[in-house]
Amino acid sequence: MATYPPDRVTFVRGQGSYLWDAEGRRYLDFLSGLAVTSLGHAHPAVAQALSEAGSTLLHTSNLFATRPAEEVAATLDRLIGGGGKVFFANSGAEANECAIKLARKWGGHGRYVVVSAFGSFHGRTLATLHATGQPAKHEAFQPLPEGFRHVAWQDLEALERAVTPEVAAVLLEAVQGEGGVWPAGQEYFQGARRICDERGALLMVDEVQTGLGRTGRWFGFQHYGVVPDVVTMAKALGNGVPVGACWARDQVAQAFVPGDHASTFGGQPLALSAAQAVLQVMEEIDAPGRAAALGSYLGEKLAELPGVASVRGLGLLVAAELVHGGAGQVAAGCLQRGLVVNAVTPSALRLAPSLLVTEAEVDEAVAILGDVLGERSGGGTGGPEPSRGLQP
Ligand SMILES: *Cc1c(COP(=O)(O)O)cnc(C)c1O
C-alpha cells in the first residue's frame, strides 16, 4: 500500500556501517533503519544466534517457557535497575499498548487516562496513535480510543494541571525522537516523577528509540536521575529482528494476571535469541560507553560544518539543525553521494549510526554532508551530478 513515499533505493546487502544497493553501489548508513541496527548490519553474533535458533527451536507458544526469553528478561531487568518484570511484544507500538493496558489495569475503575506530550511519537496502533501527541496524524482515524490527554513538552506546569485523579500514567520519551531529537532534560523528568508520586500516577518512559545504549546510557532515563515505573523498548533490541518489551516494577506488573494480555509471537525463541545475542555483544563492547564517546565526536565534527547551525541529542542519537533548512533535499543529496541520513524535521537531519561506528566512518559521513551543504550554499561547480553511492 502507498503508506511510504515512492522512488526509494533498493538495498540488497549490509555489512557493519555499510549498505549496498541493487546496482552494487555502497552507502554509509548513518540512520541504522531508524535506530534499529545498533550493532551494524550482518553482525556475526546475531547471525549465528538466528541460524542456531532456526535449527533448534523457533516457536512454542506462550503456554510453555523458553530459555532465551527468561535470560533476556533477566538481563533487561538488571540493566534497567532491577525489581521488575517483562512482557515481550513484537514492536514498539505493541510494547506501548502493553504499557497502556497495564496502566489501566493498575489504575482500576475511573483511573485510566494516559497523559503524553505534544510532539511525541508512541506508535501507529489506534491507542498508541492517540498517545502520539501529533493531532494532524489523528484526524483521518477518528474516533480514536478514549483516555488520552496531551500537554506541552517540557512544561511542568501543564503537567501539574493535566495529572488529575483520572490519570493512571504519564508516558514520556527520554528524547523525543520522531519529534526532532529533543532530550527531555533532568529537570523535566525529575518534575514529572515528583508529580506522578504526588498524584499516585505511573511514570512510563518510552525508550523504543532511546533504549539499549543509543544515548550513552543503557536507557535514556538514566541520564536524568529518576526511576520510572514502566519502561518500553523495541527498535535496537533485535538489531533488526522484530521484538519489543515492556518492563514494569514488580508491584505494577502484578496488576496483570493470566489472561489479561498475550501475544502469539511475543517472546518466541527466534526473536529472543537475537535479543540475547544483541545484549551480550552490547555488554561486551560497552555499547553505551561507545555511544557516548562517538556521539560527542560526531557532535563536534558536525558543529564545525558552516551549514550546521546547531547540534542536539544524546549519545549517538543526534540532530543537526541546518542554517538554510531544506533538510529533505539535503538528505536526498546525501543519499545521492552515498550517505543515509533522515530529515527528522524540515530543517534538521537525524543521525543515528551503529554504536560500533568508527571515527573514520564519522569523518567520512561528515565530509559527505559538508560537500552537500557546501554545494547548496552556492559553492556549486555546475559540474555533472555525481553518480549515486560511494566509489567502491
Ligand atoms: C519507533 C517508535 C515507536 C513505534 O515503534 P514500532 O516498532 O514502529 O511500532 C514508539 N515509540 C517511539 C519513541 C519510537 O521511536
Side-chain angles (χ1 to χ4, degrees), residues 341-363:
V341 292
N342 140 271
V344 71
T345 72
S347 61
L349 295 176
R350 171 173 42 184
L351 296 95
S354 152
L355 309 187
L356 286 165
V357 73
T358 63
E359 288 193 356
E361 287 163 350
V362 169
D363 291 342

Side-chain angles (χ1 to χ4, degrees), residues 117 151-156 159 172 184-192:
V151 291
W153 173 238
Q154 292 178 322
D155 182 340
L156 283 173
L159 199 58
L172 296 171
Q186 178 158 321
E187 197 189 330
Y188 187 54
F189 255 50
Q190 292 195 352

Side-chain angles (χ1 to χ4, degrees), residues 1-343:
M1 298 186 193
T3 55
Y4 306 104
D7 189 30
R8 336 187 106 206
V9 176
T10 300
F11 289 122
V12 294
R13 185 165 72 86
Q15 182 73 59
S17 292
Y18 291 93
L19 286 165
W20 283 265
D21 71 12
E23 275 82 48
R25 291 176 292 225
R26 190 169 68 118
Y27 298 76
L28 191 48
D29 184 4
F30 265 49
L31 189 56
S32 305
L34 293 167
V36 167
T37 52
S38 281
L39 295 179
H41 298 285
H43 192 285
V46 180
Q48 197 192 331
L50 286 172
S51 132
E52 273 174 21
S55 53
T56 307
L57 185 66
L58 284 181
H59 187 89
T60 64
S61 89
N62 292 305
L63 301 172
F64 309 100
T66 59
R67 285 276 150 67
E70 288 173 0
E71 286 194 23
V72 171
T75 305
L76 291 176
D77 185 53
R78 171 166 55 79
L79 298 176
I80 288 171
K85 293 207 158 34
V86 175
F87 177 88
F88 288 113
N90 309 289
S91 68
E94 279 186 35
N96 286 334
E97 283 278 346
C98 174
I100 292 163
K101 282 181 70 178
L102 182 63
R104 288 191 176 194
K105 187 81 198 302
W106 174 87
H109 188 69
R111 189 162 56 154
Y112 59 91
V113 171
V114 172
V115 175
S116 55
F118 283 113
S120 64
F121 184 82
H122 298 296
R124 301 287 197 157
T125 61
L126 289 172
T128 60
L129 178 62
H130 206 179
T132 292
Q134 301 181 48
K137 287 192 163 71
H138 299 163
E139 270 158 40
F141 303 101
Q142 300 287 5
L144 292 170
E146 281 176 43
F148 294 90
R149 195 175 286 172
H150 302 104
V151 291
W153 173 238
Q154 292 178 322
D155 182 340
L156 283 173
E157 279 173 30
L159 199 58
E160 293 266 13
R161 286 192 299 273
V163 184
T164 54
E166 317 82 77
V167 172
V170 173
L171 173 64
L172 296 171
E173 289 163 272
V175 178
Q176 280 197 344
E178 301 308 301
V181 188
W182 300 103
Q186 178 158 321
E187 197 189 330
Y188 187 54
F189 255 50
Q190 292 195 352
R193 179 71 273 179
R194 176 184 53 76
I195 292 166
C196 288
D197 287 343
E198 286 170 4
R199 314 286 167 84
L202 301 176
L203 178 60
M204 311 203 296
V205 184
D206 181 343
E207 296 266 4
V208 169
Q209 188 158 158
T210 47
L212 303 160
R214 168 77 36 202
T215 67
R217 301 279 174 96
W218 282 108
F219 292 90
F221 72 80
Q222 290 165 341
H223 289 274
Y224 307 142
V226 300
V227 180
D229 301 299
V230 175
V231 179
T232 58
M233 70 206 81
K235 290 191 164 91
L237 185 54
N239 207 53
V241 176
V243 54
C246 175
W247 174 95
R249 66 179 166 81
D250 278 333
Q251 222 191 332
V252 177
Q254 276 164 20
F256 272 169
V257 297
D260 277 340
H261 197 48
S263 163
T264 295
F265 293 125
Q268 54 128 267
L270 175 71
L272 275 289
S273 295
Q276 193 178 1
V278 165
L279 292 172
Q280 200 174 336
V281 173
M282 282 188 167
E283 291 208 83
E284 274 164 21
I285 64 163
D286 181 21
R290 282 197 60 93
L294 274 296
S296 62
Y297 183 75
L298 173 61
E300 276 167 34
K301 294 286 155 182
L302 287 171
E304 286 168 9
L305 293 177
V308 171
S310 61
V311 180
R312 60 179 181 264
L314 274 179
L316 279 173
L317 182 57
V318 173
E321 192 69 35
L322 304 178
V323 174
H324 299 295
Q329 286 157 291
V330 172
C334 287
L335 188 66
Q336 192 78 32
R337 287 175 173 269
L339 171 66
V340 183
V341 292
N342 140 271

